[in-house]
Amino acid sequence: MNAKRFFVNIFRILIVGIAVMLVGSSSAYAANTSQPASFQTGERLVYEIAWSGFIGGEAVIQINGQTTRDGNRVLLISTAARSTGLARALYPVEDTSLSYFDIDNLRSYGADIHITENNYKKHTEITFDHKRGIAIYKVDGGEPQEYPIAPNTNDAFSAIYAFRVLRNQAKIGESVSLPVFDDRKQHDLIIKTIRKEKIMLKNRSVDTLMTTFFLESGGLFQVKGDMTIWFSDDAAFAPIKIKASAPIGEFTMLLKEWSGVNFKIAPFRTQK
Protein backbone atom coordinates (compact mmCIF):
# COMPACT_ATOMS: atom_id res chain seq x y z
CA MET A 1 0.00 0.00 0.00
CA ASN A 2 1.05 3.61 -0.57
CA ALA A 3 1.33 5.00 2.98
CA LYS A 4 0.68 8.45 1.51
CA ARG A 5 -3.02 7.65 1.19
CA PHE A 6 -3.30 6.47 4.80
CA PHE A 7 -2.00 9.64 6.39
CA VAL A 8 -3.74 11.90 3.88
CA ASN A 9 -6.94 10.16 4.97
CA ILE A 10 -6.28 11.09 8.59
CA PHE A 11 -6.52 14.81 8.01
CA ARG A 12 -6.86 15.35 4.25
CA ILE A 13 -4.58 18.36 4.16
CA LEU A 14 -4.47 20.20 0.87
CA ILE A 15 -2.00 17.92 -0.82
CA VAL A 16 -1.54 14.66 -2.62
CA GLY A 17 2.19 14.34 -1.85
CA ILE A 18 2.47 13.25 1.79
CA ALA A 19 4.37 9.97 2.06
CA VAL A 20 4.89 8.71 5.57
CA MET A 21 6.36 5.45 6.72
CA LEU A 22 9.24 4.73 9.10
CA VAL A 23 10.97 1.68 10.51
CA GLY A 24 9.77 0.88 14.04
CA SER A 25 9.14 -1.85 16.57
CA SER A 26 5.82 -2.64 18.18
CA SER A 27 4.07 -4.21 21.12
CA ALA A 28 0.43 -5.12 20.57
CA TYR A 29 -2.13 -3.56 22.85
CA ALA A 30 -4.69 -5.40 24.92
CA ALA A 31 -8.10 -3.81 25.27
CA ASN A 32 -8.32 -4.56 28.98
CA THR A 33 -5.22 -2.42 29.68
CA SER A 34 -6.92 0.75 28.43
CA GLN A 35 -8.25 3.48 30.67
CA PRO A 36 -11.51 5.46 30.49
CA ALA A 37 -11.59 7.85 27.53
CA SER A 38 -10.72 11.46 28.25
CA PHE A 39 -12.88 12.76 25.39
CA GLN A 40 -16.61 12.92 24.90
CA THR A 41 -19.37 14.30 22.73
CA GLY A 42 -18.83 17.99 22.13
CA GLU A 43 -15.06 17.97 21.85
CA ARG A 44 -14.02 20.24 18.96
CA LEU A 45 -10.46 20.80 17.74
CA VAL A 46 -9.61 23.39 15.08
CA TYR A 47 -6.19 23.37 13.41
CA GLU A 48 -4.31 25.83 11.25
CA ILE A 49 -2.60 24.08 8.34
CA ALA A 50 0.74 25.37 7.04
CA TRP A 51 3.07 24.19 4.30
CA SER A 52 6.72 25.13 4.86
CA GLY A 53 5.57 28.11 6.92
CA PHE A 54 2.83 29.24 4.50
CA ILE A 55 -0.67 29.09 6.05
CA GLY A 56 -3.04 27.53 3.55
CA GLY A 57 -5.88 25.71 5.27
CA GLU A 58 -7.97 24.76 8.27
CA ALA A 59 -9.03 21.39 9.68
CA VAL A 60 -11.76 20.67 12.22
CA ILE A 61 -12.06 17.39 14.13
CA GLN A 62 -15.00 16.96 16.46
CA ILE A 63 -17.14 14.39 18.24
CA ASN A 64 -20.67 15.04 17.01
CA GLY A 65 -22.65 12.53 19.00
CA GLN A 66 -23.02 8.98 20.29
CA THR A 67 -25.03 5.96 19.23
CA THR A 68 -24.87 2.20 19.85
CA ARG A 69 -23.86 -0.78 17.73
CA ASP A 70 -24.16 -4.37 18.98
CA GLY A 71 -24.75 -2.93 22.44
CA ASN A 72 -21.51 -0.93 22.39
CA ARG A 73 -21.02 2.85 22.62
CA VAL A 74 -20.12 4.36 19.24
CA LEU A 75 -18.86 7.93 18.88
CA LEU A 76 -19.48 9.87 15.67
CA ILE A 77 -16.16 11.55 14.82
CA SER A 78 -16.27 14.07 11.98
CA THR A 79 -13.33 15.61 10.16
CA ALA A 80 -13.41 18.56 7.77
CA ALA A 81 -10.49 20.14 5.91
CA ARG A 82 -10.61 23.17 3.65
CA SER A 83 -8.07 25.31 1.89
CA THR A 84 -8.07 29.02 2.73
CA GLY A 85 -6.77 32.30 1.32
CA LEU A 86 -4.51 32.12 -1.71
CA ALA A 87 -4.29 28.34 -1.45
CA ARG A 88 -8.08 28.14 -1.88
CA ALA A 89 -7.94 30.37 -4.96
CA LEU A 90 -5.30 28.11 -6.49
CA TYR A 91 -6.60 24.73 -5.32
CA PRO A 92 -10.00 24.61 -3.52
CA VAL A 93 -10.36 21.78 -1.03
CA GLU A 94 -13.52 20.77 0.86
CA ASP A 95 -13.03 17.31 2.36
CA THR A 96 -15.22 15.71 5.03
CA SER A 97 -15.42 12.38 6.78
CA LEU A 98 -17.47 10.63 9.44
CA SER A 99 -16.02 7.76 11.47
CA TYR A 100 -17.96 5.38 13.72
CA PHE A 101 -15.68 4.63 16.70
CA ASP A 102 -16.60 1.81 19.10
CA ILE A 103 -15.09 3.21 22.29
CA ASP A 104 -15.78 0.01 24.28
CA ASN A 105 -13.70 -2.23 21.99
CA LEU A 106 -11.35 0.36 20.42
CA ARG A 107 -12.46 -0.41 16.89
CA SER A 108 -14.32 1.21 14.03
CA TYR A 109 -17.65 0.29 12.52
CA GLY A 110 -16.76 2.18 9.35
CA ALA A 111 -16.16 5.55 7.74
CA ASP A 112 -17.93 7.77 5.21
CA ILE A 113 -15.44 9.93 3.27
CA HIS A 114 -16.22 12.76 0.84
CA ILE A 115 -13.30 14.25 -1.09
CA THR A 116 -13.65 17.43 -3.14
CA GLU A 117 -10.30 18.76 -4.35
CA ASN A 118 -10.36 21.18 -7.27
CA ASN A 119 -12.26 19.28 -9.98
CA TYR A 120 -11.78 15.88 -8.35
CA LYS A 121 -14.59 14.28 -6.33
CA LYS A 122 -14.79 10.90 -4.62
CA HIS A 123 -17.16 9.30 -2.11
CA THR A 124 -15.92 6.25 -0.22
CA GLU A 125 -18.04 4.17 2.16
CA ILE A 126 -16.35 1.60 4.41
CA THR A 127 -18.36 -0.71 6.67
CA PHE A 128 -16.68 -3.11 9.09
CA ASP A 129 -18.56 -6.35 9.82
CA HIS A 130 -16.61 -7.58 12.84
CA LYS A 131 -18.69 -10.73 13.23
CA ARG A 132 -17.78 -11.87 9.71
CA GLY A 133 -14.29 -10.33 9.83
CA ILE A 134 -14.70 -8.33 6.63
CA ALA A 135 -14.66 -4.74 5.38
CA ILE A 136 -17.31 -3.74 2.83
CA TYR A 137 -15.81 -1.09 0.56
CA LYS A 138 -17.81 1.00 -1.89
CA VAL A 139 -16.72 3.95 -4.06
CA ASP A 140 -19.10 6.47 -5.67
CA GLY A 141 -22.10 4.21 -5.20
CA GLY A 142 -20.54 1.35 -7.14
CA GLU A 143 -20.60 -2.36 -6.43
CA PRO A 144 -19.45 -3.18 -2.88
CA GLN A 145 -16.24 -5.16 -2.50
CA GLU A 146 -15.31 -7.28 0.51
CA TYR A 147 -11.86 -7.56 2.14
CA PRO A 148 -10.67 -9.50 5.20
CA ILE A 149 -9.90 -7.53 8.37
CA ALA A 150 -8.20 -8.28 11.68
CA PRO A 151 -10.14 -8.28 14.97
CA ASN A 152 -10.84 -4.79 16.37
CA THR A 153 -9.74 -3.03 13.19
CA ASN A 154 -9.81 0.79 13.02
CA ASP A 155 -10.14 3.17 10.11
CA ALA A 156 -7.61 5.97 9.54
CA PHE A 157 -9.70 8.46 11.53
CA SER A 158 -10.64 6.37 14.57
CA ALA A 159 -7.06 5.17 15.09
CA ILE A 160 -5.98 8.44 16.77
CA TYR A 161 -8.90 8.20 19.22
CA ALA A 162 -8.12 4.56 19.97
CA PHE A 163 -4.58 5.62 20.87
CA ARG A 164 -5.94 8.39 23.11
CA VAL A 165 -7.85 5.76 25.09
CA LEU A 166 -4.55 3.88 25.45
CA ARG A 167 -2.95 6.90 27.15
CA ASN A 168 -1.44 4.72 29.90
CA GLN A 169 0.58 2.81 27.27
CA ALA A 170 2.22 5.95 25.87
CA LYS A 171 5.58 5.45 27.55
CA ILE A 172 8.81 6.96 26.27
CA GLY A 173 10.73 4.49 24.13
CA GLU A 174 7.79 2.07 23.82
CA SER A 175 5.34 1.40 20.98
CA VAL A 176 1.71 0.45 20.52
CA SER A 177 0.33 -1.41 17.51
CA LEU A 178 -3.20 -0.83 16.20
CA PRO A 179 -4.87 -2.82 13.39
CA VAL A 180 -5.99 -0.46 10.64
CA PHE A 181 -7.81 -0.97 7.35
CA ASP A 182 -7.15 1.61 4.65
CA ASP A 183 -7.02 1.69 0.86
CA ARG A 184 -8.53 -1.81 0.64
CA LYS A 185 -5.81 -3.43 2.79
CA GLN A 186 -5.17 -4.45 6.38
CA HIS A 187 -2.14 -2.98 8.15
CA ASP A 188 -0.54 -2.49 11.54
CA LEU A 189 -0.18 1.12 12.63
CA ILE A 190 2.84 1.48 14.92
CA ILE A 191 2.83 4.46 17.29
CA LYS A 192 6.05 5.11 19.21
CA THR A 193 6.39 7.62 22.05
CA ILE A 194 9.68 9.51 21.66
CA ARG A 195 10.05 12.19 24.34
CA LYS A 196 8.46 15.07 26.24
CA GLU A 197 8.35 18.50 24.58
CA LYS A 198 6.76 21.90 25.16
CA ILE A 199 4.57 23.30 22.37
CA MET A 200 3.61 26.98 22.21
CA LEU A 201 -0.06 27.90 21.64
CA LYS A 202 -0.88 31.61 21.56
CA ASN A 203 2.20 32.48 23.64
CA ARG A 204 1.32 29.82 26.20
CA SER A 205 3.10 26.49 26.61
CA VAL A 206 1.64 22.99 26.64
CA ASP A 207 3.55 19.99 27.94
CA THR A 208 3.29 17.24 25.33
CA LEU A 209 4.42 13.74 24.45
CA MET A 210 5.97 13.54 20.98
CA THR A 211 4.95 10.39 19.08
CA THR A 212 5.84 9.03 15.65
CA PHE A 213 3.53 7.00 13.40
CA PHE A 214 4.66 4.25 11.03
CA LEU A 215 2.65 1.90 8.87
CA GLU A 216 3.65 -1.76 8.63
CA SER A 217 2.50 -3.66 5.56
CA GLY A 218 2.90 -7.39 5.09
CA GLY A 219 5.70 -7.63 7.64
CA LEU A 220 7.94 -5.37 5.55
CA PHE A 221 8.95 -1.81 6.36
CA GLN A 222 9.70 0.92 3.87
CA VAL A 223 11.16 4.32 4.61
CA LYS A 224 9.03 7.02 2.98
CA GLY A 225 9.23 10.03 5.29
CA ASP A 226 7.79 10.70 8.71
CA MET A 227 4.71 11.78 10.61
CA THR A 228 4.73 13.12 14.16
CA ILE A 229 1.90 13.94 16.55
CA TRP A 230 2.31 15.80 19.84
CA PHE A 231 -0.33 14.87 22.45
CA SER A 232 -0.92 16.87 25.62
CA ASP A 233 0.89 15.18 28.50
CA ASP A 234 -2.14 14.97 30.75
CA ALA A 235 -5.41 13.10 31.13
CA ALA A 236 -6.91 14.72 28.01
CA PHE A 237 -4.10 13.41 25.76
CA ALA A 238 -5.33 15.81 23.07
CA PRO A 239 -3.50 16.07 19.70
CA ILE A 240 -1.89 19.53 19.86
CA LYS A 241 0.32 19.46 16.76
CA ILE A 242 0.69 17.21 13.71
CA LYS A 243 3.63 17.31 11.30
CA ALA A 244 4.25 15.33 8.13
CA SER A 245 7.12 15.42 5.66
CA ALA A 246 6.69 15.13 1.91
CA PRO A 247 8.96 15.54 -1.12
CA ILE A 248 7.45 18.97 -1.73
CA GLY A 249 7.93 20.26 1.82
CA GLU A 250 6.82 19.96 5.42
CA PHE A 251 3.19 20.21 6.47
CA THR A 252 2.09 21.22 9.96
CA MET A 253 -1.26 21.31 11.74
CA LEU A 254 -1.25 23.40 14.93
CA LEU A 255 -4.22 23.62 17.27
CA LYS A 256 -5.65 27.15 17.27
CA GLU A 257 -9.11 26.73 18.81
CA TRP A 258 -10.63 24.12 21.10
CA SER A 259 -13.76 23.45 23.13
CA GLY A 260 -15.20 20.53 25.06
CA VAL A 261 -11.72 19.42 26.14
CA ASN A 262 -9.53 20.39 29.09
CA PHE A 263 -5.79 20.03 28.70
CA LYS A 264 -3.14 21.72 30.80
CA ILE A 265 -1.85 24.99 29.38
CA ALA A 266 0.44 27.46 31.13
CA PRO A 267 -1.06 30.84 32.08
CA PHE A 268 -0.48 33.70 29.65
CA ARG A 269 2.42 35.89 30.67
CA THR A 270 2.88 39.43 29.46
CA GLN A 271 6.39 40.64 28.81
CA LYS A 272 7.69 43.24 31.22
Side-chain angles (χ1 to χ4, degrees):
M1 170 198 175
N2 187 342
K4 171 183 68 180
R5 295 307 304 174
F6 174 78
F7 290 116
V8 166
N9 279 347
I10 290 183
F11 49 82
R12 297 303 310 167
I13 60 173
L14 309 187
I15 59 163
V16 187
I18 290 183
V20 273
M21 192 166 315
L22 289 175
V23 177
S25 60
S26 67
S27 59
Y29 77 89
N32 60 6
T33 63
S34 65
Q35 59 189 30
S38 57
F39 48 84
Q40 58 187 346
T41 298
E43 180 184 270
R44 185 173 187 267
L45 307 172
V46 183
Y47 297 87
E48 184 176 77
I49 303 171
W51 167 60
S52 298
F54 172 74
I55 297 173
E58 180 181 271
V60 180
I61 306 174
Q62 58 186 358
I63 304 176
N64 288 336
Q66 180 175 306
T67 183
T68 58
R69 291 278 186 92
D70 299 329
N72 300 312
R73 294 175 300 157
V74 175
L75 296 182
L76 308 179
I77 302 172
S78 69
T79 305
R82 62 189 297 269
S83 51
T84 59
L86 179 60
R88 186 169 187 81
L90 296 174
Y91 194 79
V93 171
E94 287 283 352
D95 294 340
T96 63
S97 70
L98 183 63
S99 177
Y100 301 86
F101 177 51
D102 178 351
I103 196 171
D104 292 320
N105 295 289
L106 304 189
R107 65 187 183 184
S108 172
Y109 273 99
D112 192 13
I113 307 163
H114 291 265
I115 298 173
T116 303
E117 298 177 355
N118 204 12
N119 294 321
Y120 175 76
K121 292 185 178 182
K122 182 179 180 181
H123 178 207
T124 302
E125 298 172 84
I126 307 172
T127 302
F128 296 127
D129 186 333
H130 292 285
K131 293 181 179 179
R132 296 172 59 202
I134 63 168
I136 303 169
Y137 193 94
K138 187 164 63 172
V139 177
D140 294 331
E143 288 295 320
Q145 298 175 309
E146 295 185 354
Y147 302 91
I149 58 172
N152 295 330
T153 283
N154 278 279
D155 60 70
F157 307 96
S158 67
I160 289 179
Y161 284 83
F163 182 56
R164 289 180 67 185
V165 178
L166 298 171
R167 165 68 179 89
N168 60 348
Q169 294 192 36
K171 299 177 181 179
I172 294 175
E174 297 187 10
S175 301
V176 169
S177 174
L178 292 172
V180 172
F181 178 87
D182 189 70
D183 199 23
R184 297 182 173 89
K185 293 182 181 178
Q186 182 73 46
H187 307 274
D188 288 326
L189 174 64
I190 314 300
I191 308 170
K192 185 172 183 179
T193 304
I194 305 300
R195 61 177 176 267
K196 295 176 180 285
E197 282 193 3
K198 288 185 180 294
I199 298 295
M200 298 302 297
L201 291 182
K202 300 180 179 179
N203 295 320
R204 302 164 68 186
S205 65
V206 180
D207 290 328
T208 70
L209 287 176
M210 173 186 174
T211 66
T212 56
F213 282 51
F214 354 104
L215 199 63
E216 181 184 19
S217 178
L220 300 176
F221 291 90
Q222 299 176 358
V223 178
K224 295 289 186 181
D226 61 57
M227 177 174 173
T228 307
I229 301 182
W230 287 261
F231 293 90
S232 60
D233 188 10
D234 53 26
F237 206 46
I240 304 298
K241 180 180 177 181
I242 303 173
K243 184 176 72 174
S245 297
I248 58 175
E250 182 177 270
F251 292 81
T252 302
M253 290 174 57
L254 183 63
L255 190 64
K256 68 174 185 176
E257 298 173 18
W258 58 91
S259 59
V261 59
N262 292 313
F263 55 85
K264 295 179 181 179
I265 183 168
F268 177 78
R269 292 183 180 180
T270 57
Q271 294 184 349
K272 296 181 180 180

